[in-house]
């Protein structure tokens, strides 16, 4: 049977006469070879025999290359493409289908465009924190490249007094620089190179480190950096007792509060010796959010909440809270509580909002500044030193914009 099939195929091929352009589209070809498995191979006629002239005599290199045989003709390799036409029939063609050609062209174009884009785009540097330098590198920089600062700022940074009080000391002639009395707070000095005396006491060449604390202020204490017995600074007495033992040779920093809480308000307040940080935090342009819990005497209805949300005049400026919310009642608390969030931080702002709504305030507590919330385990009158991550949570956007 196989011999009969091969003979029939040979007879069909010998009687099949069409032009090369219609070889693979002829209906006769499809009917003849549709049921026969075969492999099509097309090749050029074999090249003529090549004569080799081999001699073993002595001759030059040019003479041996005179009769250079022509290279054999390459064999043409034909790859058929079986494509289903629009009529649903399978046909053979010598070129790939149009969709494959388009896909190859698009892939080449997209790869070339992406390669050009990568070349043009600069490499993005990974976000990282400030570079860390050794103590020797920082000391070398401070001794050789640090710019001089104003005398009043140097005194405040050294913990002598506040900047305003330092200016008063300078105006009174109680400050000398390199043996001469200086009465100009704007005088530029270098603490490492210049010799500075305040009230006859020489100023240390070392500046105290920057410190940041979160304090849970009790009721009845005032936000003052003076020597008053009810000042919030008196809550740090135990901390100063161990200062010289933990930090030998470093002067004691002068702490102050960032903003203020009135004497009857409790809760979170930041204490630091960084004047620039405190100024950026307390300035109204920072729009730092402040969350308070207001405990109310009596009932609270919807009208009260609407009145508070509409705002009121505080120090001649109309202040509107960011949000007002009546908290759910708790079994251990009989009074209603309001959560009020503001961003202006004006004097008695929350108290004025509650008073304008016709409510009587029982107590007021601040529980959040920016993104930093008062720790639940921090007792009244206690403080905790803030880490760098806490500062970013507290005022990350403010520090980035400066």
């Amino acid at each position: 049977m196989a011999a009969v099939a091969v003979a029939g195929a040979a007879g069909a091929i010998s009687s099949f006469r069409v032009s090369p352009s219609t070889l693979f589209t002829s209906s006769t070809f499809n009917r003849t070879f549709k049921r026969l498995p075969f492999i099509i191979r097309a090749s050029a006629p074999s090249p003529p025999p090549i004569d080799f002239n081999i001699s073993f005599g002595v001759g030059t290199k040019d003479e041996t290359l005179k009769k250079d045989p022509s290279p054999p003709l390459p064999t043409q390799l034909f790859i058929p493409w079986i494509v289903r036409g629009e009529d649903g029939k399978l046909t053979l063609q010598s070129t790939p289908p149009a969709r494959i050609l388009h896909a190859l062209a698009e892939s080449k174009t997209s790869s070339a465009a992406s390669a050009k884009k990568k070349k043009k785009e600069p490499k993005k540097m990974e976000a990282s924190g400030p570079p860390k330098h050794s103590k020797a590198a920082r000391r070398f920089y401070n001794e050789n490249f640090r710019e001089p600062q104003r005398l009043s700022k140097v005194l405040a940074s050294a913990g002598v007094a506040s900047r305003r009080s330092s200016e008063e000391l300078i105006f009174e002639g109680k400050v000398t620089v390199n043996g001469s009395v200086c009465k100009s707070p704007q005088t530029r000095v270098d603490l490492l190179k210049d010799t500075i005396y305040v009230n006859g006491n020489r100023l240390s060449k070392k500046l105290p480190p920057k410190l940041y604390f979160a304090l849970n202020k009790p009721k009845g204490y005032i936000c003052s950096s003076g020597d008053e017995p009810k000042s919030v600074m008196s809550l740090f007495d135990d901390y100063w007792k161990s200062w010289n033992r933990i930090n030998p040779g470093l002067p004691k920093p002068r702490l102050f509060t960032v903003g203020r809480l009135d004497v009857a308000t409790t809760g979170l307040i930041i204490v630091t010796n960084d004047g620039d940080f405190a100024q950026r935090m307390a300035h109204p342009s920072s729009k730092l959010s402040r969350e308070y819990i207001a405990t109310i005497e009596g009932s609270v209805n919807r009208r009260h909440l609407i009145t508070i949300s509409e705002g009121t005049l505080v120090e001649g400026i109309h202040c509107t809270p960011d949000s007002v919310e009546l908290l759910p009642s708790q079994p251990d608390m009989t009074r209603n509580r309001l959560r009020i969030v503001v961003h202006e931080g004006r004097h008695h702002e929350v108290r004025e909002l509650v008073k304008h709504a016709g409510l009587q305030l029982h107590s007021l507590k601040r529980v959040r500044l920016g993104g930093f919330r008062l720790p639940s385990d921090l007792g009244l009158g206690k403080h905790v030193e803030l880490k760098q991550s806490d500062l970013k949570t507290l005022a990350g956007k403010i520090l980035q914009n400066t």
Side-chain angles (χ1 to χ4, degrees):
M1 292 297 291
V4 174
V6 173
I13 293 176
S14 61
S15 62
F16 188 67
R17 295 290 186 270
V18 292
S19 61
S21 60
T22 60
L23 174 61
F24 300 107
T25 58
S26 172
S27 60
T28 305
F29 179 84
N30 293 332
R31 289 196 304 270
T32 305
F33 295 95
K34 187 174 183 180
R35 295 185 297 273
L36 295 178
F38 60 91
I39 300 176
I40 299 176
R41 293 180 180 173
S43 61
S46 59
I50 302 174
D51 296 332
F52 296 92
N53 183 12
I54 301 175
S55 61
F56 298 94
V58 180
T60 61
K61 185 178 180 180
D62 295 337
E63 292 178 353
T64 60
L65 296 177
K66 284 182 180 179
K67 294 184 179 182
D68 185 13
S70 60
L73 296 176
T75 302
Q76 182 181 0
L77 179 62
F78 175 75
I79 302 176
W81 291 83
I82 303 176
V83 183
R84 187 180 297 277
E86 296 180 357
D87 54 355
K89 296 180 179 180
L90 296 176
T91 58
L92 290 175
Q93 63 183 39
S94 59
T95 57
R99 59 184 180 83
I100 295 182
L101 295 176
H102 290 318
L104 291 174
E106 290 179 359
S107 64
K108 290 181 180 179
T109 304
S110 61
S111 60
S114 61
K116 289 182 180 179
K117 188 177 181 180
K118 289 181 179 179
K119 289 182 179 179
K120 290 182 180 180
E121 289 182 353
K123 293 183 179 179
K124 295 182 180 180
M125 299 294 294
E126 296 181 357
S128 59
K132 297 181 179 180
H133 304 287
S134 63
K135 291 183 179 180
R138 293 197 300 269
R139 188 187 308 113
F140 178 81
Y141 175 81
N142 292 333
E143 293 177 355
N144 296 275
F145 301 101
R146 191 174 63 175
E147 295 181 358
Q149 296 180 339
R150 296 190 306 273
L151 179 59
S152 59
K153 184 177 181 179
V154 170
L155 296 182
S157 300
V160 174
S162 66
R163 192 170 299 186
R164 184 174 298 178
S165 300
S166 298
E167 292 178 353
E168 294 178 357
L169 291 174
I170 296 172
F171 288 137
E172 293 173 0
K174 298 180 179 179
V175 181
T176 61
V177 179
N178 298 329
S180 302
V181 176
C182 181
K183 292 188 176 183
S184 176
Q186 288 76 25
T187 301
R188 298 283 177 172
V189 296
D190 190 337
L191 188 60
L192 298 178
K193 299 179 180 179
D194 298 323
T195 303
I196 303 173
Y197 280 84
V198 180
N199 288 328
N201 299 320
R202 183 173 179 175
L203 203 64
S204 174
K205 296 292 184 180
K206 297 180 180 180
L207 289 176
K210 301 295 183 182
L211 300 175
Y212 308 89
F213 298 94
L215 173 68
N216 190 358
K217 174 187 171 300
K219 186 177 180 179
Y221 283 77
I222 61 175
C223 295
S224 171
S225 56
D227 297 331
E228 296 87 349
K230 278 290 188 177
S231 171
V232 293
M233 295 303 139
S234 62
L235 300 173
F236 289 84
D237 290 343
D238 293 338
Y239 178 80
W240 297 129
K241 290 179 181 179
S242 59
W243 174 263
N244 293 330
R245 176 175 56 83
I246 299 176
N247 304 281
L250 289 179
K252 184 186 298 184
R254 173 187 168 273
L255 298 179
F256 47 86
T257 60
V258 179
R260 294 178 181 272
L261 288 178
D262 59 66
V263 65
T265 303
T266 64
L268 176 63
I269 191 166
I270 305 300
V271 180
T272 182
N273 64 333
D274 189 346
D276 295 334
F277 172 80
Q279 185 177 7
R280 294 196 299 266
M281 288 277 294
H283 199 274
S285 62
S286 66
K287 296 183 179 181
L288 187 70
S289 62
R290 301 161 172 86
E291 181 179 335
Y292 294 83
I293 301 298
T295 305
I296 306 298
E297 295 280 2
S299 61
V300 179
N301 54 43
R302 183 180 179 185
R303 181 181 58 83
H304 294 136
L305 299 179
I306 293 176
T307 304
I308 294 176
S309 63
E310 291 175 349
T312 185
L313 288 176
V314 180
E315 298 178 349
I317 298 176
H318 187 82
C319 296
T320 304
D322 296 340
S323 64
V324 181
E325 179 185 359
L326 178 62
L327 297 178
S329 59
Q330 295 183 358
D332 56 340
M333 300 189 67
T334 58
R335 296 182 177 88
N336 293 313
R337 297 179 304 150
L338 297 177
R339 177 189 286 117
I340 303 176
V341 180
V342 298
H343 65 270
E344 301 252 352
R346 297 190 178 276
H347 186 58
H348 289 170
E349 180 179 358
V350 178
R351 293 182 179 274
E352 291 295 330
L353 290 170
V354 174
K355 181 180 178 181
H356 178 70
L359 297 174
Q360 183 179 355
L361 187 66
H362 174 74
S363 63
L364 185 63
K365 180 180 182 180
R366 183 160 68 184
V367 296
R368 181 174 61 83
L369 269 174
F372 183 80
R373 188 170 293 274
L374 179 68
S376 58
D377 57 346
L378 189 63
L380 281 173
K382 302 298 181 180
H383 62 269
V384 60
E385 189 169 356
L386 299 180
K387 302 177 182 178
Q388 194 65 29
S389 58
D390 298 327
L391 294 178
K392 291 181 180 179
T393 304
L394 174 66
K397 294 182 179 180
I398 299 175
L399 298 179
Q400 291 176 0
N401 295 334
T402 54

